[in-house]
Amino acid sequence: MNIGTTNVGVKVYTVNGAAAGTGSASSLPDWLKRKKAVKSGRSKGAIREEFEGAVNLIQDFEFPEASNKIKVTRDGHHAIATGVYKPRIRVWDLDQLTLKFERHTDTENVDFLILSDDWTKTVHLQSDRSVELHAQGGMHYRTRIPRFGRTLAYHYPSCDTLIAGAGNE
């Protein structure tokens, strides 16, 4: 990270690249530099070496209070996280490095599972002894369980969700 100052004494922080106002920084974004390097006929190894140390930041990758769980989909294109106060679910698109959407829930999530290869089908174990099934359009189904749940597991061949709960039964 580079720290530079402007002529009025304001500090400018640059996470990736040269400091602002040094003249050595190119005005082109990294993805355009890569595209031009590929078109110019440079070897893939040389291009990879040049851009390997680059840092990509995901926009809005945060929660106002805290996050309990973060998981990545099996296809690797999305990240899903659940957080507290106000309880919510957030999905980020890792290809675009942006927040895809956010949903608020009634209670905090204890655990969740991604049932599909992408983000469209999830099951959430909540702190009020309920289990919610979410689909692409929102909450699909909600049911209560007799004991407070601790964790979830999913058996793919039989399509069974296994819920471990608190208690001696």
Side-chain angles (χ1 to χ4, degrees):
M1 177 166 70
N2 297 316
I3 302 172
T5 56
T6 62
N7 56 1
V8 289
V10 176
K11 287 186 180 181
V12 177
Y13 297 90
T14 307
V15 175
N16 194 9
T22 60
S24 62
S26 172
S27 61
L28 295 176
D30 285 344
W31 63 269
L32 191 54
K33 288 180 193 175
R34 252 185 241 126
K35 197 173 190 179
K36 284 188 173 199
V38 169
K39 283 185 180 178
S40 70
R42 290 175 41 200
S43 71
K44 286 185 180 180
I47 294 168
R48 190 178 327 111
E49 263 182 43
E50 182 179 341
F51 292 102
E52 204 167 66
V55 176
N56 292 325
L57 300 176
I58 301 173
Q59 295 177 7
D60 298 323
F61 197 67
E62 63 184 4
F63 272 88
E65 189 65 33
S67 173
N68 324 24
K69 301 269 183 184
I70 300 175
K71 296 182 181 182
V72 177
T73 58
R74 282 192 296 278
D75 64 6
H77 296 292
H78 297 90
I80 303 175
T82 60
V84 298
Y85 193 72
K86 299 191 172 189
R88 65 189 75 200
I89 302 165
R90 284 187 170 182
V91 177
W92 290 273
D93 188 341
L94 299 178
D95 296 331
Q96 300 295 320
L97 300 175
T98 58
L99 179 66
K100 188 168 188 71
F101 69 87
E102 172 181 46
R103 285 185 190 150
H104 292 271
T105 59
D106 294 334
T107 59
E108 294 179 16
N109 280 351
V110 175
D111 198 6
F112 74 95
L113 289 173
I114 304 167
L115 302 178
S116 59
D117 289 337
D118 55 2
W119 61 270
T120 56
K121 294 178 187 150
T122 57
V123 61
H124 299 267
L125 177 63
Q126 299 198 321
S127 62
D128 67 345
R129 294 184 6 221
S130 64
V131 177
E132 288 185 354
L133 292 168
H134 284 254
Q136 188 171 357
M139 186 181 66
H140 177 68
Y141 185 74
R142 179 185 180 118
T143 188
R144 303 257 308 167
I145 55 176
R147 301 274 183 222
F148 288 101
R150 301 245 185 206
T151 190
L152 291 169
Y154 189 70
H155 187 249
Y156 287 94
S158 65
C159 297
D160 288 333
T161 300
L162 308 170
I163 303 169
N168 57 0
E169 295 177 16

